[in-house]
Amino acid sequence: MLTERQLLILHAIVDDYVRSAEPVGSRSISKRADVQFSSATIRNEMADLEELGFLDKPHSSAGRVPSQKGYRYYVDHLLSPHRLTVAERSRLSTIASAKIQAIEEVFQESARILSEMTSYVSIVLGSELLNERLQKIQIVPLEGMKAIVILISETGHIENHIVQLDEHVTTEDLERTVNLLNERLRGVAFSQLQQKIHLELNHLFKAHVRNYKQVLGMLEPTLSPAITEKLIFSGRSNLMEQPEFQDIEKMRMVYKALEEETLLYDWLKTQHVNGLNVSIGNENQLKALDECSIVTASFAINGQHVGTLGVIGPTRMEYRRMLKVVDSLSKNMSKLLTDH
């Protein structure tokens, strides 16, 4: 366990290094108003922190820099809440009051806001079908006890699925089902069709469709359209402004990982957790990004996860502010999508 003095010095070194990008020496720490120790005492504590793995010492400098372990301890134990400025709150709130025309535009605007506010690379992972709403459903019987279920959205997007009919389902069952669905689900988002049926329409099916269990079982997979997610980036060039990536080879590796997208996409798919997530250095298990940190948060519709947004920057990241910005934007995205 670190002593109070070690915690104070670790906190000061992370803050100074994040701000300056230069190794931090004992002399500069001793000049801080919140540090009352001599340079000799600070040097001894820095040596102990280095031995414990919280600090690294670059060969070319007498100063220290936070290690990955040091950043992790800082994020988990030393961060205090960040208060956004009025201008930052106003910028982040624009997404919550946006009028949705196309969901991809919302994702692109969110990514642009994040990259502009953080000067890092921003990412948004979500589906373009999130705001598609049902205009009409048709069920057309086919030969061989099959039928085709057709979902038509308000924008003209069509999803169709061939289903196997249960032997007990009659033509009358199908007609009543289509009438109920078109009467009750018109204007409902594709992503909410299943939830709407289970919570609000189950009793109607039970009352009006003789073989309602078989009909609902048949329709269930068709009312959850396969949603292909898209990964959107903004601000790739921002990384070139960071001192850590002045090395051409490092920059090339990061750019290649961002251009290929697949590895990052697969990794983000494993991060479908509620709340904020901070991955520091090689914690993200993406070798090309092992000198980067990734802060992500999920956004949801009625509490159900539908996408992820976040920022990618150097491990020397302004974590306190990044967590607040990413968290606030994800909540505004959730409000926009839920209220729509």
Side-chain angles (χ1 to χ4, degrees):
M1 179 178 292
L2 300 181
T3 66
E4 288 298 319
R5 189 159 63 192
Q6 289 171 329
L7 292 176
L8 182 59
I9 291 172
L10 176 61
H11 196 298
I13 289 175
V14 174
D15 284 349
D16 281 12
Y17 184 62
V18 166
R19 184 174 58 253
S20 69
E22 295 290 339
V24 182
S26 57
R27 184 176 171 79
S28 66
I29 296 295
S30 67
K31 291 179 180 178
R32 291 173 58 115
D34 57 342
V35 176
Q36 304 297 319
F37 318 122
S38 68
S39 291
T41 299
I42 295 170
R43 275 197 301 276
N44 289 334
E45 295 290 10
M46 289 168 69
D48 288 343
L49 286 168
E50 182 183 351
E51 189 174 326
L52 291 168
F54 292 95
L55 298 177
D56 287 331
K57 184 179 181 181
H59 295 300
S60 59
S61 170
R64 306 297 204 285
V65 300
S67 65
Q68 182 175 311
K69 181 179 177 180
Y71 282 125
R72 171 50 65 192
Y73 193 93
Y74 176 84
V75 169
D76 290 345
H77 302 287
L78 302 180
L79 280 185
S80 55
H82 177 77
R83 181 184 291 272
L84 295 170
T85 66
V86 172
E88 287 174 328
R89 289 199 301 273
S90 175
R91 185 75 177 101
L92 289 165
S93 67
T94 57
I95 200 68
S97 57
K99 290 184 178 179
I100 293 182
Q101 298 297 326
I103 198 68
E104 184 171 349
E105 292 177 9
V106 175
F107 292 165
Q108 288 176 339
E109 177 64 8
S110 299
R112 191 167 65 85
I113 289 172
L114 265 185
S115 64
E116 287 179 357
M117 290 187 67
T118 64
S119 298
Y120 296 145
V121 179
S122 63
I123 47 177
V124 177
L125 177 65
S127 168
E128 298 173 22
L129 284 184
L130 284 179
N131 72 327
E132 291 289 354
R133 293 176 178 276
L134 184 69
Q135 172 66 29
K136 187 176 182 181
I137 184 169
Q138 293 177 315
I139 302 177
V140 181
L142 304 173
E143 293 182 351
M145 291 298 291
K146 293 182 179 178
I148 182 167
V149 180
I150 304 170
L151 307 179
I152 304 172
S153 78
E154 292 175 342
T155 63
H157 178 86
I158 296 176
E159 289 279 321
N160 57 70
H161 305 267
I162 293 178
V163 298
Q164 187 71 44
L165 293 176
D166 186 277
E167 60 181 344
H168 298 100
V169 174
T170 65
T171 302
E172 184 181 17
D173 288 333
L174 294 180
E175 289 176 353
R176 290 188 175 186
T177 296
V178 168
N179 290 338
L180 269 176
L181 293 176
N182 281 322
E183 180 184 336
R184 299 286 177 161
L185 295 183
R186 182 167 295 152
V188 174
F190 279 9
S191 59
Q192 295 178 294
L193 292 177
Q194 284 283 9
Q195 184 182 30
K196 192 86 171 176
I197 289 175
H198 285 301
L199 296 181
E200 300 178 23
L201 303 186
N202 229 17
H203 67 288
L204 290 177
F205 275 97
K206 189 174 181 178
H208 298 287
V209 180
R210 178 185 298 175
N211 298 295
Y212 75 100
K213 288 184 179 178
Q214 290 86 347
V215 170
L216 290 179
M218 176 193 77
L219 287 177
E220 187 166 348
T222 70
L223 296 180
S224 299
I227 293 178
T228 302
E229 293 182 304
K230 186 172 184 178
L231 184 58
I232 293 173
F233 292 90
S234 182
R236 284 186 176 96
S237 61
N238 286 342
L239 285 183
M240 297 178 68
E241 306 299 322
Q242 304 297 329
E244 290 85 349
F245 301 110
Q246 296 306 305
D247 183 309
I248 298 299
E249 182 58 23
K250 287 182 182 177
M251 191 71 255
R252 188 187 66 78
M253 288 179 63
V254 173
Y255 256 71
K256 186 178 179 182
L258 298 181
E259 290 292 336
E260 289 180 350
E261 296 188 7
T262 306
L263 291 176
L264 186 59
Y265 176 89
D266 290 342
W267 180 80
L268 283 170
K269 294 288 287 181
T270 69
Q271 303 301 302
H272 285 180
V273 293
N274 292 326
L276 285 165
N277 181 55
V278 181
S279 176
I280 300 172
N282 58 26
E283 291 176 356
N284 61 50
Q285 300 179 343
L286 302 171
K287 184 169 178 54
L289 301 181
D290 65 4
E291 294 192 28
C292 295
S293 287
I294 308 175
V295 176
T296 59
S298 63
F299 51 90
I301 295 177
N302 290 324
Q304 181 180 359
H305 171 92
V306 294
T308 302
L309 59 81
V311 294
I312 302 173
T315 53
R316 185 187 56 81
M317 179 179 279
E318 195 181 355
Y319 292 100
R320 196 163 71 102
R321 180 168 175 269
M322 291 308 107
L323 285 164
K324 185 64 177 178
V325 169
V326 170
D327 184 47
S328 297
L329 189 60
S330 71
K331 288 176 178 173
N332 288 341
M333 280 276 283
S334 296
K335 182 177 187 309
L336 170 70
L337 296 172
T338 299
D339 292 348
H340 176 63

XYZ file of all heavy atoms in Angstrom, residues 93-178:
672
model
N -24.417 19.290 -25.264
C -25.877 19.170 -25.236
C -26.499 19.322 -26.615
O -27.669 19.000 -26.800
C -26.478 20.208 -24.286
O -26.277 21.518 -24.806
N -25.735 19.824 -27.589
C -26.320 20.022 -28.917
C -26.800 18.705 -29.509
O -27.774 18.675 -30.252
C -25.301 20.659 -29.884
O -24.130 19.826 -29.952
C -24.909 22.048 -29.415
N -26.136 17.614 -29.163
C -26.523 16.322 -29.750
C -27.862 15.855 -29.198
O -28.638 15.197 -29.880
C -25.424 15.260 -29.508
C -25.576 14.108 -30.506
C -25.443 14.732 -28.078
C -25.286 14.493 -31.923
N -28.167 16.208 -27.933
C -29.422 15.753 -27.324
C -30.631 16.447 -27.939
O -31.732 15.899 -27.936
C -29.393 15.992 -25.822
N -30.434 17.643 -28.481
C -31.557 18.383 -29.046
C -31.589 18.306 -30.570
O -32.386 18.981 -31.213
C -31.474 19.855 -28.608
O -30.237 20.418 -28.999
N -30.700 17.477 -31.137
C -30.640 17.373 -32.599
C -31.896 16.703 -33.143
O -32.525 15.888 -32.475
C -29.405 16.573 -33.013
N -32.269 17.059 -34.365
C -33.382 16.403 -35.041
C -32.806 15.306 -35.928
O -32.021 15.557 -36.831
C -34.159 17.405 -35.887
C -34.930 18.407 -35.049
C -35.767 19.313 -35.927
C -36.573 20.285 -35.064
N -37.379 21.212 -35.886
N -33.207 14.062 -35.634
C -32.648 12.939 -36.374
C -33.205 12.889 -37.788
O -34.405 12.817 -37.975
C -32.950 11.609 -35.660
C -32.192 11.538 -34.341
C -32.568 10.428 -36.542
C -32.400 10.236 -33.611
N -32.348 12.987 -38.767
C -32.728 12.739 -40.156
C -32.202 11.368 -40.563
O -32.925 10.529 -41.064
C -32.137 13.841 -41.057
C -32.641 15.234 -40.730
C -34.139 15.380 -40.946
O -34.701 14.768 -41.851
N -34.782 16.172 -40.113
N -30.926 11.151 -40.339
C -30.302 9.850 -40.606
C -29.391 9.541 -39.432
O -28.650 10.402 -38.969
C -29.514 9.895 -41.905
N -29.447 8.302 -38.960
C -28.694 7.955 -37.755
C -27.200 8.108 -37.981
O -26.454 8.471 -37.074
C -29.039 6.520 -37.308
C -28.620 6.310 -35.853
C -28.419 5.490 -38.197
C -29.412 7.086 -34.864
N -26.743 7.875 -39.220
C -25.309 8.010 -39.477
C -24.862 9.454 -39.275
O -23.751 9.711 -38.833
C -24.965 7.531 -40.888
C -23.454 7.560 -41.148
C -23.065 6.889 -42.442
O -23.918 6.229 -43.042
O -21.889 7.028 -42.836
N -25.739 10.410 -39.582
C -25.387 11.807 -39.370
C -25.205 12.092 -37.879
O -24.340 12.874 -37.477
C -26.475 12.720 -39.950
C -26.555 12.681 -41.470
C -27.687 13.553 -41.994
O -28.285 14.307 -41.196
O -27.969 13.474 -43.197
N -26.041 11.460 -37.055
C -25.913 11.636 -35.600
C -24.581 11.058 -35.116
O -23.877 11.676 -34.308
C -27.074 10.940 -34.868
C -26.881 11.024 -33.355
C -28.398 11.557 -35.266
N -24.231 9.885 -35.623
C -22.959 9.272 -35.226
C -21.782 10.146 -35.667
O -20.831 10.351 -34.919
C -22.820 7.875 -35.846
C -23.785 6.859 -35.296
C -24.006 5.663 -35.949
C -24.469 7.100 -34.110
C -24.883 4.717 -35.441
C -25.360 6.166 -33.599
C -25.563 4.977 -34.263
N -21.852 10.636 -36.904
C -20.748 11.456 -37.406
C -20.623 12.761 -36.626
O -19.523 13.214 -36.322
C -20.955 11.737 -38.899
C -20.722 10.513 -39.777
C -21.021 10.757 -41.229
O -21.755 11.688 -41.566
N -20.488 9.922 -42.101
N -21.756 13.367 -36.289
C -21.720 14.613 -35.523
C -21.172 14.358 -34.112
O -20.384 15.156 -33.587
C -23.123 15.219 -35.436
C -23.228 16.485 -34.593
C -22.426 17.650 -35.150
O -21.907 17.552 -36.272
O -22.296 18.678 -34.431
N -21.563 13.256 -33.510
C -21.051 12.909 -32.176
C -19.546 12.692 -32.218
O -18.807 13.156 -31.335
C -21.736 11.647 -31.648
O -23.119 11.843 -31.528
N -19.084 11.987 -33.239
C -17.645 11.741 -33.378
C -16.900 13.057 -33.577
O -15.815 13.267 -33.010
C -17.389 10.795 -34.547
N -17.491 13.950 -34.354
C -16.835 15.245 -34.608
C -16.760 16.085 -33.334
O -15.737 16.688 -33.031
C -17.623 15.999 -35.690
C -16.892 17.225 -36.235
C -17.574 17.721 -37.493
N -18.917 18.196 -37.207
C -19.188 19.421 -36.788
N -18.212 20.285 -36.613
N -20.439 19.793 -36.553
N -17.847 16.081 -32.553
C -17.838 16.830 -31.283
C -16.751 16.294 -30.358
O -15.986 17.053 -29.756
C -19.225 16.728 -30.604
C -20.260 17.538 -31.389
C -19.149 17.226 -29.155
C -21.688 17.335 -30.883
N -16.670 14.962 -30.261
C -15.672 14.361 -29.366
C -14.242 14.702 -29.793
O -13.412 15.063 -28.954
C -15.830 12.842 -29.364
C -16.681 12.212 -28.271
C -16.610 10.695 -28.361
C -16.222 12.659 -26.888
N -13.954 14.578 -31.077
C -12.577 14.834 -31.526
C -12.215 16.300 -31.382
O -11.086 16.642 -31.017
C -12.386 14.371 -32.976
O -13.184 15.115 -33.861
N -13.178 17.190 -31.620
C -12.901 18.617 -31.484
C -12.676 19.004 -30.023
O -11.823 19.826 -29.714
C -14.057 19.437 -32.069
C -14.115 19.406 -33.578
C -15.287 20.208 -34.119
O -16.093 20.742 -33.301
O -15.409 20.304 -35.335
N -13.448 18.398 -29.124
C -13.340 18.775 -27.704
C -12.135 18.144 -27.019
O -11.662 18.656 -26.007
C -14.620 18.372 -26.956
C -15.831 19.202 -27.336
S -17.260 18.818 -26.291
C -16.712 19.433 -24.689
N -11.648 17.023 -27.552
C -10.574 16.308 -26.858
C -9.228 16.389 -27.561
O -8.200 16.110 -26.952
C -10.935 14.819 -26.715
O -11.031 14.223 -28.015
C -12.254 14.640 -25.975
N -9.256 16.736 -28.859
C -8.029 16.716 -29.681
C -7.449 15.315 -29.795
O -6.241 15.158 -30.003
C -6.964 17.688 -29.113
O -7.431 19.004 -29.130
N -8.270 14.300 -29.644
C -7.865 12.916 -29.849
C -8.684 12.334 -30.993
O -9.525 13.007 -31.592
C -8.102 12.087 -28.579
C -7.274 12.501 -27.389
C -7.791 12.432 -26.098
C -5.966 12.960 -27.544
C -7.039 12.816 -24.991
C -5.207 13.344 -26.453
C -5.740 13.269 -25.179
O -4.992 13.646 -24.102
N -8.459 11.047 -31.279
C -9.284 10.344 -32.265
C -10.566 9.897 -31.563
O -10.518 9.351 -30.458
C -8.550 9.094 -32.803
C -9.433 8.359 -33.811
C -7.220 9.482 -33.436
N -11.690 10.133 -32.195
C -12.952 9.695 -31.600
C -13.532 8.542 -32.410
O -13.274 8.422 -33.615
C -13.955 10.852 -31.532
O -14.253 11.286 -32.832
N -14.296 7.701 -31.739
C -14.908 6.536 -32.393
C -16.371 6.423 -31.956
O -16.705 6.702 -30.806
C -14.168 5.232 -32.038
C -13.913 5.146 -30.524
C -12.861 5.117 -32.791
C -13.257 3.873 -30.074
N -17.204 6.010 -32.899
C -18.604 5.707 -32.576
C -18.950 4.401 -33.274
O -18.738 4.257 -34.484
C -19.562 6.822 -33.036
C -21.014 6.419 -32.752
C -19.244 8.141 -32.351
N -19.441 3.443 -32.537
C -19.855 2.154 -33.088
C -21.350 1.985 -32.857
O -21.827 1.997 -31.724
C -19.105 1.010 -32.396
C -19.487 -0.416 -32.825
C -19.113 -0.655 -34.284
C -18.817 -1.446 -31.927
N -22.104 1.867 -33.952
C -23.551 1.708 -33.808
C -24.150 1.284 -35.138
O -23.457 1.143 -36.145
N -25.451 1.080 -35.149
C -26.127 0.601 -36.348
C -26.914 1.709 -37.026
O -27.550 2.529 -36.373
C -27.089 -0.537 -35.990
O -27.936 -0.808 -37.083
N -26.872 1.697 -38.359
C -27.652 2.668 -39.120
C -29.142 2.378 -39.058
O -29.963 3.207 -39.418
C -27.196 2.656 -40.583
C -25.749 3.053 -40.764
C -25.298 2.864 -42.193
O -26.154 2.846 -43.073
O -24.093 2.722 -42.414
N -29.526 1.178 -38.600
C -30.947 0.817 -38.556
C -31.629 1.273 -37.267
O -32.820 1.054 -37.090
C -31.114 -0.703 -38.680
C -30.932 -1.309 -40.070
C -31.220 -2.798 -40.016
C -31.861 -0.645 -41.071
N -30.873 1.904 -36.361
C -31.450 2.232 -35.063
C -32.679 3.113 -35.168
O -33.601 3.019 -34.379
C -30.393 2.929 -34.189
C -29.333 2.020 -33.579
C -28.352 2.838 -32.780
C -29.986 0.973 -32.697
N -32.685 4.031 -36.139
C -33.832 4.936 -36.204
C -34.829 4.561 -37.287
O -35.713 5.332 -37.613
C -33.369 6.384 -36.407
C -32.838 6.619 -37.804
O -32.261 5.724 -38.391
N -33.037 7.814 -38.320
N -34.672 3.358 -37.877
C -35.667 2.919 -38.852
C -36.949 2.540 -38.107
O -36.922 1.793 -37.135
C -35.138 1.718 -39.639
C -33.986 2.043 -40.578
C -34.419 2.859 -41.793
O -35.639 3.072 -41.961
O -33.540 3.290 -42.548
N -38.076 3.054 -38.564
C -39.359 2.805 -37.891
C -40.314 2.084 -38.845
O -40.315 2.339 -40.040
C -39.970 4.133 -37.420
C -39.147 4.764 -36.319
C -39.674 6.126 -35.892
N -38.876 6.651 -34.808
C -39.065 6.345 -33.525
N -40.071 5.552 -33.200
N -38.285 6.832 -32.595
N -41.126 1.234 -38.263
C -42.001 0.383 -39.076
C -43.125 1.201 -39.717
O -43.849 1.943 -39.042
C -42.608 -0.718 -38.196
C -43.462 -1.741 -38.941
C -42.580 -2.609 -39.833
C -44.245 -2.610 -37.963
N -43.261 1.022 -41.037
C -44.382 1.610 -41.754
C -45.453 0.549 -42.000
O -46.650 0.793 -41.834
C -43.899 2.173 -43.101
C -44.984 2.647 -44.048
C -45.741 3.856 -43.507
O -45.180 4.646 -42.748
N -47.017 3.983 -43.881
N -45.005 -0.658 -42.343
C -45.973 -1.694 -42.695
C -45.313 -3.065 -42.599
O -44.114 -3.202 -42.838
C -46.470 -1.471 -44.128
C -47.603 -2.390 -44.559
C -48.064 -2.012 -45.965
C -49.241 -2.891 -46.388
N -49.696 -2.564 -47.745
N -46.106 -4.057 -42.217
C -45.624 -5.436 -42.218
C -46.553 -6.284 -43.071
O -47.780 -6.088 -43.064
C -45.530 -6.004 -40.779
C -44.934 -7.411 -40.789
C -46.869 -5.984 -40.077
C -44.567 -7.929 -39.415
N -45.972 -7.183 -43.839
C -46.759 -8.093 -44.657
C -46.274 -9.523 -44.398
O -45.082 -9.753 -44.181
C -46.579 -7.781 -46.152
C -47.156 -6.425 -46.562
C -46.900 -6.128 -48.030
O -45.795 -6.343 -48.517
N -47.922 -5.643 -48.716
N -47.231 -10.476 -44.443
C -46.867 -11.895 -44.360
C -47.495 -12.583 -45.567
O -48.725 -12.600 -45.705
C -47.368 -12.542 -43.060
C -46.803 -11.810 -41.834
C -46.954 -14.021 -43.018
C -47.317 -12.361 -40.503
N -46.668 -13.092 -46.457
C -47.157 -13.695 -47.692
C -46.881 -15.200 -47.649
O -45.720 -15.623 -47.628
C -46.455 -13.080 -48.915
C -46.985 -13.699 -50.208
C -46.632 -11.564 -48.914
N -47.954 -16.034 -47.607
C -47.760 -17.503 -47.611
C -47.075 -17.968 -48.888
O -47.329 -17.449 -49.976
C -49.193 -18.047 -47.527
C -50.004 -16.923 -46.955
C -49.379 -15.671 -47.495
N -46.167 -18.953 -48.731
C -45.483 -19.560 -49.867
C -45.783 -21.053 -49.882
O -46.441 -21.581 -48.976
C -43.964 -19.336 -49.746
C -43.491 -17.885 -49.621
C -41.991 -17.858 -49.337
C -43.801 -17.103 -50.895
N -45.289 -21.720 -50.898
C -45.483 -23.176 -50.956
C -44.640 -23.860 -49.882
O -43.648 -23.316 -49.386
C -45.076 -23.697 -52.342
C -46.002 -23.218 -53.456
C -45.587 -23.787 -54.809
O -44.493 -24.391 -54.882
O -46.353 -23.618 -55.767
N -45.057 -25.091 -49.535
C -44.266 -25.894 -48.610
C -44.347 -25.435 -47.177
O -43.341 -25.533 -46.438
N -45.500 -24.910 -46.757
C -45.699 -24.456 -45.378
C -44.673 -23.398 -44.972
O -44.140 -23.397 -43.864
C -45.642 -25.641 -44.394
C -46.816 -26.588 -44.496
S -48.394 -25.760 -44.120
C -48.214 -25.438 -42.382
N -44.386 -22.504 -45.899
C -43.487 -21.380 -45.599
C -44.196 -20.070 -45.878
O -45.256 -20.023 -46.505
C -42.209 -21.481 -46.441
C -41.336 -22.678 -46.081
C -40.068 -22.694 -46.910
C -39.207 -23.879 -46.502
N -37.974 -23.963 -47.317
N -43.611 -18.977 -45.382
C -44.156 -17.637 -45.647
C -43.002 -16.651 -45.628
O -41.956 -16.905 -45.026
C -45.204 -17.265 -44.603
N -43.206 -15.537 -46.315
C -42.197 -14.479 -46.276
C -42.765 -13.307 -45.472
O -43.904 -12.878 -45.699
C -41.776 -14.040 -47.703
C -40.683 -12.979 -47.606
C -42.960 -13.524 -48.504
C -40.003 -12.717 -48.942
N -41.991 -12.871 -44.463
C -42.383 -11.739 -43.612
C -41.618 -10.518 -44.099
O -40.380 -10.534 -44.164
C -42.060 -12.020 -42.137
C -42.487 -10.833 -41.263
C -42.747 -13.295 -41.671
N -42.331 -9.459 -44.450
C -41.705 -8.264 -45.027
C -41.941 -7.074 -44.097
O -43.089 -6.735 -43.770
C -42.300 -7.952 -46.423
C -42.149 -9.171 -47.341
C -41.615 -6.743 -47.032
C -42.912 -9.038 -48.650
N -40.854 -6.449 -43.646
C -40.931 -5.232 -42.836
C -40.533 -4.051 -43.713
O -39.453 -4.054 -44.307
C -39.987 -5.302 -41.625
C -40.089 -6.517 -40.699
C -39.044 -6.403 -39.579
C -41.477 -6.630 -40.096
N -41.406 -3.060 -43.807
C -41.111 -1.867 -44.615
C -41.013 -0.676 -43.664
O -41.933 -0.423 -42.879
C -42.207 -1.625 -45.663
C -42.371 -2.877 -46.532
C -41.855 -0.408 -46.516
C -43.564 -2.803 -47.470
N -39.888 0.044 -43.718
C -39.701 1.188 -42.807
C -40.270 2.463 -43.411
O -40.593 2.519 -44.604
C -38.214 1.377 -42.498
O -37.572 2.020 -43.583
N -40.356 3.485 -42.578
C -40.884 4.770 -43.044
C -40.008 5.405 -44.118
O -40.447 6.239 -44.892
C -41.023 5.727 -41.853
C -42.111 5.305 -40.865
C -42.163 6.194 -39.637
O -41.168 6.906 -39.382
O -43.180 6.155 -38.931
N -38.716 5.008 -44.152
C -37.813 5.556 -45.171
C -37.741 4.677 -46.408
O -36.979 4.956 -47.327
C -36.388 5.716 -44.600
O -35.886 4.415 -44.251
C -36.381 6.608 -43.376
N -38.519 3.575 -46.423
C -38.528 2.687 -47.574
C -37.570 1.523 -47.474
O -37.480 0.702 -48.385
N -36.842 1.441 -46.351
C -35.949 0.296 -46.159
C -36.792 -0.974 -45.988
O -37.817 -0.956 -45.304
C -35.074 0.516 -44.921
C -34.160 -0.627 -44.635
N -32.919 -0.747 -45.215
C -34.309 -1.716 -43.828
C -32.345 -1.848 -44.778
N -33.166 -2.452 -43.928
N -36.365 -2.071 -46.610
C -37.133 -3.325 -46.563
C -36.286 -4.432 -45.954
O -35.127 -4.635 -46.345
C -37.591 -3.739 -47.976
C -38.562 -2.696 -48.541
C -38.249 -5.111 -47.944
C -39.000 -2.975 -49.962
N -36.851 -5.108 -44.978
C -36.249 -6.316 -44.409
C -37.212 -7.463 -44.676
O -38.419 -7.337 -44.421
C -36.071 -6.163 -42.891
C -34.995 -5.187 -42.476
C -33.612 -5.801 -42.524
O -33.460 -6.985 -42.148
O -32.687 -5.098 -42.953
N -36.714 -8.574 -45.212
C -37.617 -9.708 -45.406
C -36.964 -11.005 -44.944
O -35.740 -11.161 -45.021
C -38.082 -9.807 -46.861
C -36.930 -9.924 -47.827
O -36.269 -10.950 -47.854
N -36.689 -8.881 -48.611
N -37.805 -11.897 -44.458
C -37.334 -13.163 -43.921
C -38.325 -14.267 -44.302
O -39.531 -14.069 -44.219
C -37.249 -13.110 -42.386
C -36.417 -11.983 -41.874
N -35.081 -12.102 -41.585
C -36.748 -10.693 -41.616
C -34.620 -10.944 -41.168
N -35.607 -10.068 -41.172
N -37.797 -15.412 -44.687
C -38.655 -16.567 -44.964
C -38.734 -17.405 -43.692
O -37.708 -17.703 -43.063
C -38.103 -17.398 -46.133
C -38.193 -16.569 -47.423
C -38.878 -18.714 -46.291
C -37.636 -17.265 -48.642
N -39.940 -17.743 -43.277
C -40.138 -18.499 -42.042
C -40.884 -19.790 -42.353
O -41.604 -19.900 -43.349
C -40.949 -17.691 -41.008
C -40.188 -16.434 -40.620
C -42.328 -17.341 -41.529
N -40.702 -20.767 -41.485
C -41.427 -22.036 -41.590
C -42.722 -21.913 -40.790
O -42.694 -21.540 -39.616
C -40.574 -23.176 -41.019
C -41.153 -24.553 -41.219
C -41.094 -25.008 -42.675
O -40.082 -24.830 -43.351
N -42.199 -25.589 -43.162
N -43.839 -22.209 -41.407
C -45.122 -22.095 -40.715
C -45.378 -23.323 -39.847
O -45.128 -24.459 -40.271
C -46.266 -21.941 -41.716
C -46.295 -20.651 -42.532
C -47.443 -20.704 -43.546
C -46.472 -19.439 -41.613
N -45.879 -23.058 -38.653
C -46.310 -24.160 -37.794
C -47.578 -24.772 -38.409
O -48.426 -24.061 -38.962
C -46.600 -23.618 -36.386
C -46.913 -24.726 -35.406
O -48.092 -25.168 -35.378
O -45.994 -25.133 -34.678
N -47.709 -26.084 -38.294
C -48.853 -26.772 -38.922
C -50.193 -26.327 -38.349
O -51.239 -26.499 -38.974
C -48.709 -28.290 -38.762
C -48.668 -28.750 -37.306
C -48.506 -30.256 -37.187
O -48.733 -30.948 -38.197
O -48.145 -30.724 -36.090
N -50.184 -25.765 -37.133
C -51.444 -25.341 -36.520
C -51.848 -23.913 -36.923
O -52.980 -23.499 -36.681
C -51.324 -25.412 -34.988
C -51.057 -26.796 -34.478
N -49.808 -27.230 -34.111
C -51.881 -27.855 -34.324
C -49.865 -28.490 -33.716
N -51.119 -28.899 -33.841
N -50.929 -23.141 -37.502
C -51.221 -21.746 -37.846
C -52.093 -21.688 -39.081
O -51.769 -22.288 -40.116
C -49.911 -20.961 -38.076
C -50.221 -19.553 -38.566
C -49.098 -20.915 -36.787
N -53.199 -20.957 -38.980
C -54.148 -20.869 -40.090
C -54.003 -19.537 -40.818
O -53.353 -18.606 -40.331
C -55.589 -20.981 -39.573
O -55.861 -19.823 -38.745
C -55.779 -22.250 -38.740
N -54.635 -19.469 -41.985
C -54.653 -18.214 -42.745
C -55.303 -17.103 -41.930
O -54.868 -15.942 -41.950
C -55.423 -18.403 -44.070
O -54.800 -19.447 -44.823
C -55.426 -17.125 -44.883
N -56.349 -17.480 -41.183
C -57.034 -16.496 -40.334
C -56.084 -15.967 -39.247
O -56.080 -14.777 -38.948
C -58.258 -17.132 -39.691
C -59.090 -16.156 -38.873
C -60.292 -16.830 -38.217
O -60.299 -18.085 -38.135
O -61.199 -16.119 -37.778
N -55.258 -16.847 -38.667
C -54.274 -16.416 -37.667
C -53.325 -15.370 -38.264
O -53.014 -14.346 -37.638
C -53.441 -17.611 -37.177
C -54.242 -18.543 -36.273
O -55.189 -18.067 -35.619
O -53.900 -19.743 -36.222
N -52.853 -15.648 -39.484
C -51.893 -14.732 -40.125
C -52.535 -13.378 -40.427
O -51.926 -12.322 -40.218
C -51.347 -15.363 -41.418
C -50.487 -16.623 -41.241
C -50.026 -17.138 -42.604
C -49.285 -16.343 -40.354
N -53.770 -13.394 -40.913
C -54.455 -12.136 -41.243
C -54.664 -11.288 -39.989
O -54.433 -10.073 -40.001
C -55.797 -12.447 -41.913
C -55.662 -13.017 -43.321
C -57.012 -13.415 -43.920
O -58.027 -13.371 -43.180
O -57.030 -13.763 -45.107
N -55.105 -11.920 -38.908
C -55.326 -11.171 -37.665
C -54.004 -10.648 -37.097
O -53.942 -9.552 -36.538
C -56.030 -12.067 -36.641
C -57.476 -12.362 -37.020
C -58.220 -13.076 -35.929
N -59.640 -13.241 -36.250
C -60.542 -13.731 -35.408
N -60.169 -14.119 -34.204
N -61.800 -13.839 -35.763
N -52.950 -11.450 -37.260
C -51.636 -11.020 -36.786
C -51.162 -9.782 -37.542
O -50.697 -8.798 -36.940
C -50.615 -12.160 -36.959
O -51.005 -13.248 -36.137
C -49.221 -11.697 -36.574
N -51.290 -9.830 -38.859
C -50.844 -8.690 -39.682
C -51.644 -7.446 -39.319
O -51.092 -6.336 -39.180
C -50.997 -9.021 -41.183
C -50.834 -7.758 -42.030
C -49.978 -10.065 -41.595
